[in-house]
Amino acid sequence: MLVNADLHIHSRYSAATSQRMELKTLAVEAARKGIQLLGTGDCLHPKWLSEIKELREENGIFRFDEGLGGVAEKYGTAFVLTVEVEDARRVHHLLLVPTVSKAEELFEFFSKHSKDIEEDGRPTLNLNGEEIAEVARDCEALIGPCHAFTPWTALYAYHDSLKECYGSLTDYVSFVELGLSADSSYADRISELHELTFLTNSDAHSPSPIRLAREFNRFELRDLSFEELKMAILREKGRKPVLNVGIPPEEGKYNESACIKCYKHYTLEDAVSRGWRCSCGGRIKKGVKDRVKELADCDGTHPPHRPPYLHLIPLAEIIALALRAGVSSKAVRRVWEAFLERFGDEVRVLVDADYEELSELDEDVAAAILAFREGKIVVIPGGGGRYGVIRLAEDIRCESSTENSKHSRQLSLLDF
């Protein structure tokens, strides 16, 4: 079975999160997105874990007994225990936890090394990466770095290698979360990452359809359980990731080196020559692209086990591009709801539905989706904390529609 999973989100008990990040809302919105397995996030927080305990648990997977109006029941929305923690060097780590009892063991140990573990869903620990990985191993939790390349709270922001962060526990690390500003083509330029599974997760702080599952993974499993997910991440016994889906890395807000005050972009060489100070006096923050350039030790050829990486943005944003309308407009909302009514969920629309099926509902939106699938987009890179801008090239000719649809025409989706 194929399972779409977003394994890194936050609850309403984390800082700067929506109060709508509660289990019932997440179950419904995940179903509308087409996500069958959602990380709980924040599973060490006592109040959040107490709410999770009210769900029905089987083999490390948590579900609602009630149907939530039929939505969760129809699509099989389920949860797995996850938490993000910050170490003493500000590096963030994602832990996937097998049971409630193991989450309680983690809490008991980490509480001795944290001042905010009972207040913040993403606690800060006075421990290094190796010490956190050792505790994760002893509690049978999987661990890997979160958004590994971002310049503020990531592995490669403060370390030059996995070994430097995780020490003797490096071999226990089982995945790397790429983050919004990187993809497989970036990470596979670093040879120490070749044997690790790459995860693409949303890190959502809101259940909005433009936040939740904006990045997700597709796994091949035999059934839905923690052990099956573990085997897929470790790529054992035929279980494996088969697709990574994420926004184009250039759209990430730290893709290129840029000033965090005025957002002016700089080449790595220019930034170094200026001492990382912008002409406006602001600080130039090193971008993911330049950090990967510093660390790269190979040509980026993907190892045989690496699944395809599909660059997509949320459906509402694609509709907004196609309609030349605001993403929050009534027109976009109306079309978005029509697609979900017809196809059931966003993943079906964005990844699986044929162009002919999509074009029956809206040819411009169908052509825009096809443009993303085929990489026929232009991205003005982000940097310095500001997201990049995606454009659909003017007068895109959709070859698939020309060959397969009775409607053969030139499509003008968005002026560039």
Side-chain angles (χ1 to χ4, degrees):
M1 63 184 295
L2 296 179
V3 174
N4 300 321
D6 180 2
L7 301 175
H8 180 184
I9 68 165
H10 290 281
S11 74
R12 66 186 185 279
Y13 296 108
S14 278
T17 55
S18 167
Q19 287 302 300
R20 296 182 63 237
M21 293 298 275
E22 49 89 26
L23 290 167
K24 283 190 176 182
T25 300
L26 288 167
V28 172
E29 295 305 323
R32 286 156 70 88
K33 292 289 291 191
I35 300 299
Q36 291 86 36
L37 183 62
L38 194 64
T40 62
D42 303 354
C43 74
L44 302 185
H45 192 280
K47 291 182 179 179
W48 189 234
L49 186 59
S50 178
E51 294 178 27
I52 294 168
K53 287 179 181 179
E54 296 178 5
L55 303 181
R56 173 171 53 87
E57 185 274 334
E58 184 177 3
N59 298 321
I61 299 299
F62 297 79
R63 303 177 189 271
F64 280 91
D65 281 323
E66 62 221 62
L68 295 178
V71 178
E73 187 176 75
K74 179 179 179 181
Y75 292 103
T77 306
F79 295 90
V80 62
L81 296 172
T82 63
V83 65
E84 178 185 19
V85 299
E86 179 176 302
D87 72 19
R89 290 286 302 274
R90 296 197 66 200
V91 176
H92 288 195
H93 309 267
L94 180 65
L95 281 68
L96 279 59
V97 185
T99 64
V100 166
S101 64
K102 294 298 183 182
E104 292 172 335
E105 286 183 36
L106 286 169
F107 174 85
E108 182 178 356
F109 184 88
F110 287 153
S111 62
K112 303 171 185 176
H113 305 275
S114 175
K115 295 180 179 180
D116 63 357
I117 195 167
E118 295 193 51
E119 287 77 40
D120 196 340
R122 191 206 65 209
T124 299
L125 311 178
N126 188 27
L127 298 168
N128 62 34
E130 183 175 12
E131 291 168 329
I132 293 171
E134 182 178 12
V135 179
R137 181 198 62 188
D138 292 346
C139 290
E140 303 174 38
L142 301 182
I143 186 172
C146 298
H147 39 72
F149 298 94
T150 54
W152 295 106
T153 55
L155 167 73
Y156 288 117
Y158 300 103
H159 300 286
D160 290 331
S161 68
L162 288 167
K163 183 78 172 179
E164 192 177 297
C165 180
Y166 293 105
S168 63
L169 272 295
T170 300
D171 288 344
Y172 186 70
V173 175
S174 57
F175 62 83
V176 171
E177 184 184 75
L178 298 179
L180 304 185
S181 293
D183 64 6
S184 300
S185 69
Y186 282 43
D188 272 333
R189 295 182 64 197
I190 302 170
S191 59
E192 71 171 354
L193 303 182
H194 282 189
E195 291 305 310
L196 293 172
T197 290
F198 292 162
L199 295 184
T200 38
N201 301 313
S202 71
D203 194 3
H205 288 55
S206 162
S208 163
I210 63 172
R211 294 289 181 260
L212 188 66
R214 57 185 167 179
E215 298 204 341
F216 67 90
N217 314 272
R218 176 171 285 181
F219 296 108
E220 186 174 314
L221 311 175
R222 289 192 180 175
D223 55 58
L224 204 51
S225 69
F226 183 86
E227 283 303 312
E228 284 286 319
L229 176 63
K230 177 180 178 179
M231 284 192 285
I233 291 174
L234 298 177
R235 307 189 307 278
E236 296 176 342
K237 299 182 180 180
R239 286 71 156 182
K240 59 187 177 182
V242 296
L243 184 67
N244 289 115
V245 178
I247 70 172
E250 295 84 1
E251 193 194 3
K253 57 185 178 180
Y254 295 107
N255 182 257
E256 290 192 347
S257 297
C259 175
I260 62 174
K261 183 178 180 181
C262 73
Y263 305 113
K264 181 179 179 180
H265 289 227
Y266 289 87
T267 65
L268 180 60
E269 295 74 20
D270 286 344
V272 170
S273 69
R274 299 185 62 90
W276 296 93
R277 282 292 169 185
C278 178
S279 56
C280 77
R283 181 182 177 187
I284 302 170
K285 197 63 177 174
K286 187 183 296 180
V288 169
K289 185 186 297 183
D290 287 332
R291 183 58 175 145
V292 169
K293 183 179 179 181
E294 290 179 331
L295 296 167
D297 60 358
C298 59
D299 64 4
T301 300
H302 299 302
H305 68 81
R306 190 74 67 218
Y309 194 110
L310 181 59
H311 295 118
L312 285 172
I313 60 175
L315 177 59
E317 294 183 350
I318 293 180
I319 294 170
L321 289 177
L323 300 186
R324 302 180 180 88
V327 70
S328 300
S329 68
K330 291 182 180 179
V332 169
R333 181 75 184 187
R334 184 169 56 253
V335 174
W336 180 80
E337 290 178 344
F339 270 96
L340 261 64
E341 176 68 23
R342 173 74 176 273
F343 294 98
D345 62 70
E346 278 202 23
V347 173
R348 166 72 175 151
V349 175
L350 293 172
V351 180
D352 300 314
D354 293 337
Y355 172 83
E356 291 83 357
E357 296 178 277
L358 299 171
S359 62
E360 289 175 2
L361 198 56
D362 190 298
E363 288 194 354
D364 285 345
V365 173
I369 292 170
L370 192 62
F372 274 88
R373 291 180 184 178
E374 297 180 348
K376 295 178 179 178
I377 58 173
V378 178
V379 187
I380 302 170
R386 185 161 67 180
Y387 285 106
V389 178
I390 293 180
R391 297 284 190 253
L392 296 170
E394 185 179 6
D395 296 330
I396 292 174
R397 178 174 293 279
C398 296
E399 296 178 1
S400 297
S401 65
T402 300
E403 294 175 0
N404 301 317
S405 174
K406 63 181 180 181
H407 302 291
S408 177
R409 65 186 184 92
Q410 193 80 6
L411 295 172
S412 178
L413 297 176
L414 192 71
D415 294 333
F416 174 63

